[in-house]
Amino acid sequence: MTKKNKTLGEFIIENQAEFQYSSGELSKLINAIRLAAKVVNHEVNKAGLIDILGAAGDTNVQGESQQKLDVLANEKFIQALKNREIVCGIASEEEEDFISINSQDHRHQNKYVVLIDPLDGSSNIDVNVSVGTIFSIYRRVTPIGTPVTLEDFLQPGVNQVAAGYIIYGTSTMLVYTTGHGVNGFTLNPAIGTFYLSHPNMTFPQTGKIYSINEGNYIHFPQGVKDYIKYCQMEEGDRPYTSRYIGSLVSDFHRNMIKGGIYIYPKSSLNSDGKLRLLYECNPMALLAEQAGGKASDGYGRILEIEPTELHQRVPFFCGSLKMVEKAEEFMARYA
Ligand SMILES: O=P(O)(O)OC[C@H]1O[C@](O)(COP(=O)(O)O)[C@@H](O)[C@@H]1O
């Protein structure tokens, strides 16, 4: 059993052997993310006091109005990852194209690509509701010594070497996996250190919480409508409770601790749903599976989807195993 309260740094060193590639590389990657997380956390915490709330005035590749904190978080994570001599490319929700990074010796020796959603739950920034950062890490597939290409980013989720999120909530936590279970670390803001507070996080097999934006109900596929009705029926351990924060990271985190399901389906408004496969669904799907939960597009495993575009969207059903299986049963009726 992993002992609580060791620092993130100690945990990384103790678990290096688990990382399938050379030891120091994982530390450098997670340390870069840890550093950026602390900087962004600092800005998020004082957001109401400085001119960092509201729109930045531009729109991103998704056609969404960029919030000032979106832009700041994007800059801080890119900066932290760029200067570590380990990342050869970064893709971000806030960047149209991927960013290529050469090693200092100009011989393209860096081995990893990182995909990030710098600030998830943007609609909640100005109203002081918890938001997050999501990251996904792959080993490049094109030869070392050559510039990174789109192919290095368009890998199926099963190839992820690490994935995680930072939640800027009542406390700030970093939760991640390298394919050996899921561990959560809480930031002690007084000394700026992350401590292991949630070892071996697991999804309860089932739960009593469903998270979906029911405001879009009339636009949902019949399978989703039927599943929502199923959750609301007075029968057995139901009705379930509806909880929807509107920040994927926060809804996922709560459901992983208490048991629940998060659904962002396709609809007549969004034919592929809203969430982005590469830097929202794949990392959360790896965490879910590593924590004994499940993640699908309503029919098949998210992690086996072959990506075709950097910002492609997919329907997302994620959470406690038995709840996702039940939702898939309803979807299968109309497949
Ligand atoms: O407001 P909606 O349509 O319910 O969407 C909310 C969902 O979109 C997200 O905010 C993702 O979009 P952003 O990364 O742009 O914030 C999720 O965190 C959240 O679950």
Side-chain angles (χ1 to χ4, degrees):
M1 180 64 171
T2 312
K3 197 164 68 49
K4 282 184 96 168
N5 296 332
K6 61 185 70 184
T7 68
L8 174 57
E10 289 164 341
F11 181 87
I12 292 171
I13 290 162
E14 276 173 25
N15 295 278
Q16 302 250 39
E18 282 179 355
F19 190 58
Q20 53 191 303
Y21 300 105
S22 87
S23 55
E25 293 172 343
L26 176 63
S27 323
K28 280 189 179 174
L29 284 165
I30 301 291
N31 282 332
I33 287 168
R34 170 173 61 170
L35 175 66
K38 289 200 267 188
V39 174
V40 172
N41 177 62
H42 186 63
E43 299 298 328
V44 166
N45 284 349
K46 62 178 179 166
L49 304 173
I50 56 173
D51 178 26
I52 198 79
L53 293 178
D58 305 323
T59 56
N60 63 17
V61 62
Q62 335 280 343
E64 295 160 346
S65 140
Q66 277 186 318
Q67 304 299 304
K68 290 178 185 164
L69 262 173
D70 280 325
V71 175
L72 179 127
N74 191 47
E75 282 163 10
K76 296 301 174 195
F77 275 92
I78 290 174
Q79 232 169 42
L81 291 164
K82 252 188 176 164
N83 310 331
R84 289 282 160 326
E85 277 297 285
I86 191 150
V87 173
C88 58
I90 300 172
S92 164
E93 179 181 313
E94 304 306 330
E95 304 282 342
E96 174 129 18
D97 206 347
F98 64 85
I99 301 163
S100 175
I101 301 161
N102 197 345
S103 46
Q104 272 161 8
D105 61 6
H106 306 292
R107 296 176 41 247
H108 297 290
Q109 293 307 301
N110 299 347
K111 302 184 184 82
Y112 295 90
V113 295
V114 180
L115 301 99
I116 53 172
D117 177 356
L119 210 79
D120 171 63
S122 313
S123 60
N124 282 325
I125 295 171
D126 294 3
V127 291
N128 207 357
V129 170
S130 61
V131 292
T133 294
I134 309 174
F135 64 90
S136 169
I137 304 173
Y138 294 85
R139 182 112 171 160
R140 64 179 300 175
V141 289
T142 54
I144 292 166
T146 64
V148 70
T149 71
L150 184 57
E151 192 193 342
D152 293 303
F153 295 90
L154 299 185
Q155 300 186 50
V158 281
N159 291 5
Q160 291 174 97
V161 294
Y165 59 81
I166 297 109
I167 180 167
Y168 311 102
T170 43
S171 61
T172 294
M173 284 186 67
L174 192 159
V175 175
Y176 80 100
T177 183
T178 58
H180 302 274
V182 176
N183 291 282
F185 301 80
T186 299
L187 180 65
N188 176 335
I191 51 177
T193 300
F194 282 98
Y195 286 90
L196 181 61
S197 53
H198 297 63
N200 309 310
M201 299 181 81
T202 52
F203 262 101
Q205 284 280 296
T206 190
K208 297 173 70 73
I209 296 170
Y210 67 101
S211 311
I212 185 168
N213 185 343
E214 291 186 67
N216 299 329
Y217 181 86
I218 58 167
H219 302 290
F220 288 157
Q222 194 55 45
V224 173
K225 289 179 177 174
D226 292 1
Y227 180 68
I228 292 173
K229 288 293 162 237
Y230 168 86
C231 292
Q232 297 169 342
M233 275 161 69
E234 300 265 355
E235 202 179 57
D237 65 346
R238 288 163 287 129
Y240 298 152
T241 295
S242 171
R243 287 280 181 279
Y244 190 69
I245 296 170
S247 295
L248 166 63
V249 164
S250 311
D251 283 311
F252 178 96
H253 189 75
R254 182 215 38 249
N255 290 350
M256 180 157 63
I257 291 171
K258 295 194 172 220
I261 183 172
Y262 169 99
I263 303 175
Y264 206 108
K266 67 178 188 176
S267 72
S268 51
L269 299 171
N270 305 313
S271 57
D272 295 318
K274 174 185 181 181
L275 301 185
R276 282 50 61 132
L277 173 62
L278 291 179
Y279 41 79
E280 288 174 322
C281 301
N282 269 337
M284 303 312 270
L286 184 65
L287 288 162
E289 291 197 5
Q290 283 292 314
K294 187 171 186 176
S296 88
D297 61 3
Y299 306 103
R301 198 179 170 211
I302 288 286
L303 293 179
E304 286 169 12
I305 295 175
E306 289 290 340
T308 52
E309 292 162 38
L310 214 48
H311 302 286
Q312 74 184 82
R313 302 170 192 262
V314 290
F316 196 50
F317 296 68
C318 183
S320 294
L321 180 67
K322 295 212 173 342
M323 297 181 84
V324 176
E325 287 175 345
K326 178 56 77 176
E328 288 176 324
E329 260 177 50
F330 281 96
M331 293 301 285
R333 290 181 191 173
Y334 305 94

